[in-house]
């Protein structure tokens, strides 16, 4: 059976979403004349877009397995591109964090800790590794079993990191608990998907 595809697919999807994220980030920073508050708004914005894109990519296989349909097939088919767009969103996030550190060193020091440096740094290394192996050639060089382990362990590490990053703000801003809902849903979907059907031995890149 031939899979119907639409215009919003593949690298076109990645390019359009990434350009949109860049444009919106510049616009947000410009609203505050590219000063510290504008940069911090970009940090918050890209944290949320990264959360959304991560959830879409990491839940794609489970959703397609549990509820096959036009949307879930599209999501599964474009999981690779959603994941790479997530990496682009977090790259913008890193640029904004760097700008914050340069514009307001004291404020940056107060907002961070050695723990955030360590776990945040590991998170970025994971994102780099996942992105670098999201292409057919690099995935083939790594091997299907190692690829699956890397993307599985890396995905769950990022899921945990998102939970901690948003969860630690709940005491001061209770509405941040809402950001844990999609993360918990993704975890539940993956667990249900694993029970519903055993994981395949071989995984394809994307």
């Amino acid at each position: 059976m031939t899979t119907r595809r639409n215009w919003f697919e593949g690298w076109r999807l990645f390019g359009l979403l990434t350009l949109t994220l860049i444009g919106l980030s510049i616009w947000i920073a410009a609203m505050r004349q590219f000063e510290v508050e504008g940069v911090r708004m970009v940090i918050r914005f890209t944290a949320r877009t990264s959360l959304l894109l991560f959830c879409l990519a990491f839940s794609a296989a489970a959703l397609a397995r549990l509820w096959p349909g036009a949307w879930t097939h599209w999501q599964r088919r474009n999981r690779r591109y959603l994941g790479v767009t997530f990496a682009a969103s977090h790259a913008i996030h890193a640029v904004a964090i760097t700008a914050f550190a340069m514009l307001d060193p004291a404020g940056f020091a107060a907002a961070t800790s050695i723990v955030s440096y360590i776990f945040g740094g590991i998170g970025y290394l994971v994102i780099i590794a996942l992105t670098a192996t999201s292409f057919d050639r690099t995935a083939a060089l790594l091997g299907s079993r190692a690829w699956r382990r890397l993307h599985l362990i890396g995905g769950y590490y990022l899921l945990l990191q998102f939970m901690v990053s948003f969860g630690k703000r709940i005491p001061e801003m209770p509405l941040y608990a809402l950001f844990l809902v999609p993360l918990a849903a993704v975890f539940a979907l993956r667990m249900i998907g694993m029970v519903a059907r055993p994981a395949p031995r071989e995984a394809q890149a994307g």
Side-chain angles (χ1 to χ4, degrees):
M1 183 175 65
T2 302
T3 302
R4 292 184 61 186
R5 295 178 181 269
N6 59 46
W7 184 88
F8 204 46
E9 299 260 359
W11 291 113
R12 187 181 288 117
L13 169 67
F14 163 76
L16 185 57
L17 289 179
T18 300
L19 288 174
T20 300
L21 289 172
I22 292 171
L24 287 173
S25 296
I26 293 172
W27 176 66
I28 290 168
M31 288 194 302
R32 295 293 186 272
Q33 291 75 48
F34 296 96
E35 295 182 352
V36 174
E37 183 54 35
V39 169
R40 298 194 72 171
M41 289 171 65
V42 173
I43 292 172
R44 291 190 290 271
F45 168 69
T46 50
R48 294 163 190 178
T49 58
S50 292
L51 171 66
L52 172 62
L53 290 162
F54 170 79
C55 288
L56 287 172
F58 202 47
S59 65
L63 281 171
R65 182 180 302 159
L66 295 170
W67 292 287
W71 163 256
T72 55
H73 285 161
W74 176 92
Q75 185 182 351
R76 174 64 181 84
R77 196 164 61 245
N78 288 282
R79 180 178 64 171
R80 175 196 315 213
Y81 310 103
L82 292 168
V84 177
T85 308
F86 155 68
S89 174
H90 234 52
I92 300 169
H93 186 70
V95 170
I97 290 173
T98 303
F100 175 33
M102 294 174 64
L103 291 170
D104 185 8
F108 178 77
T112 56
S113 66
I114 187 63
V115 174
S116 63
Y117 289 142
I118 293 172
F119 288 99
I122 293 173
Y124 270 101
L125 289 176
V126 169
I127 292 171
I128 291 169
L130 297 182
T131 305
T133 55
S134 289
F135 304 91
D136 292 336
R137 182 169 296 182
T138 52
L141 288 172
L142 185 62
S144 61
R145 183 171 296 180
W147 181 92
R148 177 171 174 76
R149 286 177 180 171
L150 172 64
H151 282 250
L152 189 66
I153 294 171
Y156 280 114
Y157 178 85
L158 294 175
L159 180 72
L160 176 62
Q161 188 173 44
F162 271 120
M163 285 186 167
V164 172
S165 296
F166 284 98
K168 69 182 182 181
R169 291 171 171 79
I170 293 175
E172 295 180 0
M173 293 172 282
L175 286 178
Y176 264 74
L178 295 175
F179 292 111
L180 300 185
V181 174
L183 293 167
V186 169
F187 180 78
L189 284 169
R190 290 189 64 92
M191 294 300 102
I192 295 169
M194 288 174 61
V195 172
R197 180 179 176 183
R201 291 185 177 181
E202 294 186 358
Q204 295 180 349

